[in-house]
Structure formats: C-alpha cells, structure tokens
Amino acid sequence: MNNNDKSRVCPVELAGSLDSKFRKIFQNPKKILKPFIKEGMTVFELGSGPGFFTKSISELAGPTGKVIAADLQEGMLEIVKAKTEHSELKDRIQTHLCKSDTIDFFERVDFVFAFYVVHEIPDKERLFAELKLILKPGGRMLIIEPPFHVPKHDFRKMLDILVGKGFRVIDSPKFFPNRVVYLELTE
C-alpha cells in the first residue's frame, strides 16, 4: 500500500536480511509480542515481509488463533508460505497480498501489528481508516517505527491521525530505540 513506489519498501532480494537469527537477538518476536497477543486472537500483520514475526504471532495466538500475514510483495508472501508449508502452523497462517494503494482486506480482526511499515505508506489517513474498518470493536493495534526513519514530530502527526480516526493511546511501551504506540479502537 504505497502508491506503486516500491523503492520505499525492502525488496524481496533482501528478505534474508529481515529474517536473520542475528536480528532475533535485538528484536525477539515473542518478547516483543507476548504482552499483546493472546490465545484465540485473529491478528493482522501489516507488512509481514518474509515472516520474521509471523510464526511467533501464530504460536502466541495458539491453535484457535489465526494470523493474516499481509504484504505488498507477492515474493515476500511466498517466503512466508514456504517457511510454514510443512509446519503445524500452516493452517493458522493466511497470506494476503495488499494492493498498491489499499490493504484490500475486509475480515474482522482482534489485533493489528505493524512493525517498521507505517512510515512506508504515504496515505496514512486512508490506511488508518481501513484498519479501523477491519478491527473489531475494542480491537487493539501495536505500531513500532524506527527512529532513523520517523522523527518525533512525524510520529506525533501519525498519533494525531489515529486519534482522529477513533483510536485511543493505551500505552507507549519502551522498546529502545524505537517509537512505539499501543492503541485501542474506541468507536
């Protein structure tokens, strides 16, 4: 969902750098997500890439939960499918190809997770309006953005848009050096 400007997203050719064991030392998916994802949740993972977080999300959501790994690039989703093809998690993970200007998804979910992706999407108003439509009442969202791409004033502008769309900030968890917000849909 980035108006066809694929230069703003990490290309499939660099997927290995997004999925390294070294990365897990600094960005451990279970440690980051355990406080937010509960058994039985349906989770929409915006910008899943090659699935660095996807398996952990599925494990935390448990056998009654579901993960929708959504990405703009079919190649990234193919990597997710290949990684889970022969796993017990296969039936809990669904991939979804977003369009260049919309997430194009209509199922209701309990939780949205967006890691290092919102800054890549030019039309945040539209993105947050679409996420509002797919979140169940009281649904929650965790957004984590890199400070080297998202200055404080841009992050505050994003929060203003979210509040204007009917989201309430629950917390700003510390996850150095990132900018993090945990929100609830109030409308």
Side-chain angles (χ1 to χ4, degrees), residues 13-83:
E13 297 78 28
L14 297 178
S17 67
L18 297 175
D19 208 15
S20 71
K21 289 181 182 179
F22 179 72
R23 182 180 177 194
K24 284 189 179 178
I25 295 169
F26 299 102
Q27 297 175 342
N28 183 297
K30 282 194 178 167
K31 185 176 179 182
I32 292 168
L33 293 168
K34 189 173 182 176
F36 308 102
I37 297 175
K38 308 297 179 218
E39 174 94 24
M41 280 185 160
T42 297
V43 178
F44 186 83
E45 181 186 10
L46 180 66
S48 66
F52 178 75
F53 288 94
T54 308
K55 181 180 176 191
S56 295
I57 294 170
S58 181
E59 290 169 349
L60 290 168
T64 60
K66 179 177 170 183
V67 181
I68 297 95
D71 204 276
L72 179 65
Q73 300 176 83
E74 182 68 42
M76 291 293 195
L77 298 176
E78 291 301 324
I79 294 169
V80 172
K81 289 176 193 174
K83 286 169 54 175

Side-chain angles (χ1 to χ4, degrees), residues 85-100:
E85 184 175 26
H86 301 293
S87 131
E88 64 201 26
L89 304 176
K90 177 185 173 192
D91 294 334
R92 295 188 234 164
I93 298 170
Q94 169 187 333
T95 58
H96 174 76
L97 182 65
C98 298
K99 293 183 179 176
S100 64

Side-chain angles (χ1 to χ4, degrees), residues 108 128-135 165-167 185 187:
R108 300 300 293 263
F128 298 144
E130 288 187 59
L131 293 176
K132 179 180 177 177
L133 290 174
I134 68 169
L135 270 171
K165 295 289 181 197
F167 289 91
L185 180 61
E187 296 179 356

Side-chain angles (χ1 to χ4, degrees), residues 98-114:
C98 298
K99 293 183 179 176
S100 64
D101 61 348
T102 176
I103 60 173
D104 192 39
F105 187 80
F106 305 100
E107 184 180 326
R108 300 300 293 263
V109 302
D110 301 295
F111 188 79
V112 172
F113 177 58

